[in-house]
Short mmCIF file of all heavy atoms in Angstrom, two decimals:
data_model
loop_
_atom_site.label_atom_id
_atom_site.label_comp_id
_atom_site.label_asym_id
_atom_site.label_seq_id
_atom_site.Cartn_x
_atom_site.Cartn_y
_atom_site.Cartn_z
N LEU A 19 -3.89 -4.64 -4.79
CA LEU A 19 -3.36 -3.32 -5.16
C LEU A 19 -1.86 -3.44 -5.48
O LEU A 19 -1.03 -3.30 -4.58
CB LEU A 19 -3.52 -2.32 -4.00
CG LEU A 19 -4.87 -2.19 -3.31
CD1 LEU A 19 -4.79 -1.14 -2.19
CD2 LEU A 19 -5.93 -1.79 -4.30
N LEU A 21 1.77 -2.27 -6.46
CA LEU A 21 2.47 -0.99 -6.23
C LEU A 21 3.47 -0.76 -7.36
O LEU A 21 4.34 -1.60 -7.61
CB LEU A 21 3.21 -1.05 -4.89
CG LEU A 21 4.22 0.06 -4.61
CD1 LEU A 21 3.55 1.43 -4.53
CD2 LEU A 21 4.98 -0.23 -3.31
N ARG A 26 11.88 2.68 -10.03
CA ARG A 26 12.42 1.37 -10.45
C ARG A 26 12.21 1.11 -11.93
O ARG A 26 12.98 0.39 -12.53
CB ARG A 26 11.74 0.27 -9.67
CG ARG A 26 11.99 0.41 -8.20
CD ARG A 26 12.37 -0.90 -7.61
NE ARG A 26 12.56 -0.73 -6.18
CZ ARG A 26 12.19 -1.61 -5.30
NH1 ARG A 26 11.63 -2.71 -5.68
NH2 ARG A 26 12.39 -1.38 -4.04
N LEU A 48 -1.42 1.30 -6.68
CA LEU A 48 -0.69 2.24 -5.81
C LEU A 48 0.51 2.73 -6.60
O LEU A 48 1.11 1.97 -7.36
CB LEU A 48 -0.21 1.55 -4.53
CG LEU A 48 -1.24 1.01 -3.55
CD1 LEU A 48 -0.54 0.52 -2.29
CD2 LEU A 48 -2.28 2.07 -3.19
N PHE A 77 0.82 6.31 -2.87
CA PHE A 77 1.32 5.70 -1.64
C PHE A 77 2.62 6.45 -1.34
O PHE A 77 3.69 6.06 -1.79
CB PHE A 77 1.55 4.21 -1.90
CG PHE A 77 2.16 3.45 -0.77
CD1 PHE A 77 1.79 3.67 0.55
CD2 PHE A 77 3.10 2.46 -1.02
CE1 PHE A 77 2.36 2.94 1.58
CE2 PHE A 77 3.66 1.73 0.00
CZ PHE A 77 3.30 1.98 1.30
N TYR A 128 -0.25 3.79 9.48
CA TYR A 128 0.81 3.02 8.82
C TYR A 128 1.72 2.42 9.89
O TYR A 128 2.28 3.14 10.72
CB TYR A 128 1.58 3.97 7.91
CG TYR A 128 2.55 3.36 6.94
CD1 TYR A 128 2.21 2.26 6.17
CD2 TYR A 128 3.81 3.92 6.76
CE1 TYR A 128 3.10 1.73 5.24
CE2 TYR A 128 4.71 3.40 5.84
CZ TYR A 128 4.34 2.31 5.08
OH TYR A 128 5.23 1.78 4.17
N VAL A 139 12.11 1.72 4.16
CA VAL A 139 11.14 2.56 4.87
C VAL A 139 11.58 2.79 6.31
O VAL A 139 11.42 3.90 6.85
CB VAL A 139 9.70 1.99 4.74
CG1 VAL A 139 9.57 0.62 5.32
CG2 VAL A 139 8.68 2.92 5.39
N TYR A 172 -2.43 -0.02 7.66
CA TYR A 172 -1.50 -0.63 6.70
C TYR A 172 -0.40 -1.32 7.49
O TYR A 172 0.39 -0.67 8.17
CB TYR A 172 -0.91 0.46 5.81
CG TYR A 172 -0.21 0.00 4.56
CD1 TYR A 172 -0.42 0.65 3.35
CD2 TYR A 172 0.68 -1.08 4.56
CE1 TYR A 172 0.22 0.26 2.19
CE2 TYR A 172 1.31 -1.48 3.40
CZ TYR A 172 1.09 -0.81 2.23
OH TYR A 172 1.72 -1.20 1.08
N LEU A 173 -0.39 -2.66 7.44
CA LEU A 173 0.66 -3.44 8.10
C LEU A 173 1.78 -3.66 7.08
O LEU A 173 1.59 -4.37 6.10
CB LEU A 173 0.10 -4.78 8.59
CG LEU A 173 -1.00 -4.69 9.66
CD1 LEU A 173 -1.58 -6.08 9.95
CD2 LEU A 173 -0.47 -4.06 10.95
N GLU A 174 2.89 -3.04 7.33
CA GLU A 174 3.99 -2.97 6.34
C GLU A 174 5.23 -3.71 6.84
O GLU A 174 5.75 -3.40 7.91
CB GLU A 174 4.33 -1.49 6.10
CG GLU A 174 5.56 -1.22 5.27
CD GLU A 174 5.36 -1.53 3.80
OE1 GLU A 174 5.48 -2.72 3.44
OE2 GLU A 174 5.06 -0.59 3.04
N ALA A 175 5.68 -4.69 6.03
CA ALA A 175 6.94 -5.35 6.36
C ALA A 175 8.11 -4.63 5.70
O ALA A 175 9.26 -4.79 6.11
CB ALA A 175 6.90 -6.80 5.90
N GLY A 176 7.80 -3.81 4.67
CA GLY A 176 8.84 -3.08 3.93
C GLY A 176 9.10 -3.74 2.59
O GLY A 176 9.01 -4.96 2.45
N SER A 177 9.42 -2.90 1.60
CA SER A 177 9.62 -3.43 0.26
C SER A 177 10.82 -4.36 0.23
O SER A 177 11.89 -4.02 0.73
CB SER A 177 9.81 -2.27 -0.71
OG SER A 177 9.84 -2.77 -2.00
N GLY A 178 10.62 -5.55 -0.34
CA GLY A 178 11.70 -6.54 -0.40
C GLY A 178 11.99 -7.18 0.94
O GLY A 178 13.07 -7.76 1.13
N ALA A 179 11.06 -7.10 1.87
CA ALA A 179 11.29 -7.67 3.21
C ALA A 179 11.65 -9.14 3.14
O ALA A 179 11.12 -9.88 2.31
CB ALA A 179 10.02 -7.49 4.05
N ILE A 200 -4.68 -3.30 5.24
CA ILE A 200 -3.85 -3.46 4.04
C ILE A 200 -2.59 -4.19 4.51
O ILE A 200 -2.04 -3.84 5.56
CB ILE A 200 -3.44 -2.10 3.46
CG1 ILE A 200 -4.63 -1.17 3.26
CG2 ILE A 200 -2.65 -2.27 2.16
CD1 ILE A 200 -4.23 0.25 2.81
N VAL A 201 -2.14 -5.17 3.75
CA VAL A 201 -0.93 -5.90 4.13
C VAL A 201 0.03 -5.92 2.95
O VAL A 201 -0.37 -6.23 1.82
CB VAL A 201 -1.28 -7.34 4.58
CG1 VAL A 201 -0.01 -8.15 4.84
CG2 VAL A 201 -2.14 -7.31 5.84
N GLY A 202 1.29 -5.55 3.20
CA GLY A 202 2.28 -5.54 2.13
C GLY A 202 3.69 -5.73 2.64
O GLY A 202 3.96 -5.67 3.84
N GLY A 203 4.58 -5.95 1.68
CA GLY A 203 6.00 -6.13 1.98
C GLY A 203 6.40 -7.59 1.98
O GLY A 203 5.90 -8.36 2.80
N GLY A 204 7.26 -7.98 1.06
CA GLY A 204 7.81 -9.34 1.04
C GLY A 204 6.83 -10.41 0.60
O GLY A 204 7.10 -11.59 0.81
N ILE A 205 5.72 -10.02 -0.02
CA ILE A 205 4.77 -11.04 -0.53
C ILE A 205 5.20 -11.40 -1.95
O ILE A 205 5.12 -10.57 -2.86
CB ILE A 205 3.32 -10.51 -0.50
CG1 ILE A 205 2.92 -10.19 0.95
CG2 ILE A 205 2.36 -11.53 -1.12
CD1 ILE A 205 1.55 -9.58 1.11
N ARG A 206 5.71 -12.62 -2.12
CA ARG A 206 6.32 -13.01 -3.40
C ARG A 206 5.56 -14.09 -4.14
O ARG A 206 5.83 -14.36 -5.30
CB ARG A 206 7.76 -13.50 -3.18
CG ARG A 206 8.67 -12.42 -2.62
CD ARG A 206 10.10 -12.91 -2.44
NE ARG A 206 10.90 -11.87 -1.83
CZ ARG A 206 10.96 -11.62 -0.52
NH1 ARG A 206 10.29 -12.37 0.32
NH2 ARG A 206 11.68 -10.62 -0.06
N VAL A 223 -0.90 -5.81 -1.08
CA VAL A 223 -0.01 -5.01 -1.92
C VAL A 223 1.22 -5.85 -2.28
O VAL A 223 1.82 -6.48 -1.41
CB VAL A 223 0.46 -3.74 -1.17
CG1 VAL A 223 1.41 -2.92 -2.05
CG2 VAL A 223 -0.73 -2.89 -0.74
N THR A 224 1.56 -5.85 -3.58
CA THR A 224 2.86 -6.41 -3.97
C THR A 224 3.57 -5.38 -4.84
O THR A 224 2.93 -4.66 -5.61
CB THR A 224 2.74 -7.72 -4.79
OG1 THR A 224 2.09 -7.44 -6.03
CG2 THR A 224 1.98 -8.80 -4.03
N GLY A 225 4.88 -5.31 -4.70
CA GLY A 225 5.67 -4.36 -5.48
C GLY A 225 6.73 -5.07 -6.29
O GLY A 225 6.60 -5.26 -7.50
N ASN A 226 7.78 -5.52 -5.61
CA ASN A 226 8.95 -6.13 -6.27
C ASN A 226 8.61 -7.21 -7.28
O ASN A 226 9.22 -7.26 -8.35
CB ASN A 226 9.85 -6.77 -5.21
CG ASN A 226 10.82 -5.76 -4.64
OD1 ASN A 226 11.80 -5.43 -5.30
ND2 ASN A 226 10.53 -5.24 -3.47
N ILE A 227 7.66 -8.05 -6.94
CA ILE A 227 7.37 -9.21 -7.78
C ILE A 227 7.00 -8.80 -9.21
O ILE A 227 7.30 -9.47 -10.18
CB ILE A 227 6.25 -10.08 -7.14
CG1 ILE A 227 5.98 -11.34 -7.95
CG2 ILE A 227 4.96 -9.33 -6.94
CD1 ILE A 227 7.06 -12.34 -7.82
N LEU A 228 6.37 -7.61 -9.34
CA LEU A 228 5.93 -7.16 -10.66
C LEU A 228 7.10 -6.85 -11.57
O LEU A 228 6.98 -6.87 -12.79
CB LEU A 228 5.10 -5.88 -10.53
CG LEU A 228 3.86 -6.00 -9.67
CD1 LEU A 228 3.29 -4.63 -9.40
CD2 LEU A 228 2.83 -6.88 -10.36
N GLU A 229 8.23 -6.51 -10.95
CA GLU A 229 9.38 -6.10 -11.76
C GLU A 229 10.15 -7.30 -12.30
O GLU A 229 10.98 -7.17 -13.17
CB GLU A 229 10.29 -5.20 -10.93
CG GLU A 229 9.63 -3.86 -10.67
CD GLU A 229 10.04 -3.25 -9.36
OE1 GLU A 229 11.15 -3.54 -8.89
OE2 GLU A 229 9.24 -2.49 -8.79
C1 1GP B 1 4.17 -2.78 0.04
O1 1GP B 1 6.21 -1.72 0.10
C2 1GP B 1 5.57 -2.91 -0.09
O2 1GP B 1 3.80 -2.47 1.30
C3 1GP B 1 5.91 -3.60 -1.35
O3 1GP B 1 6.63 -4.68 -0.94
O4 1GP B 1 8.05 -4.77 -2.94
O5 1GP B 1 8.23 -6.48 -1.11
O6 1GP B 1 6.24 -6.45 -2.61
P1 1GP B 1 7.32 -5.66 -1.97
#
Side-chain angles (χ1 to χ4, degrees):
L19 311 180
L21 168 64
R26 299 226 182 141
L48 296 186
F77 176 40
Y128 191 46
V139 61
Y172 195 136
L173 297 173
E174 172 73 278
S177 187
I200 309 174
V201 174
I205 299 177
R206 297 181 183 83
V223 179
T224 65
N226 273 283
I227 183 73
L228 301 169
E229 291 149 27

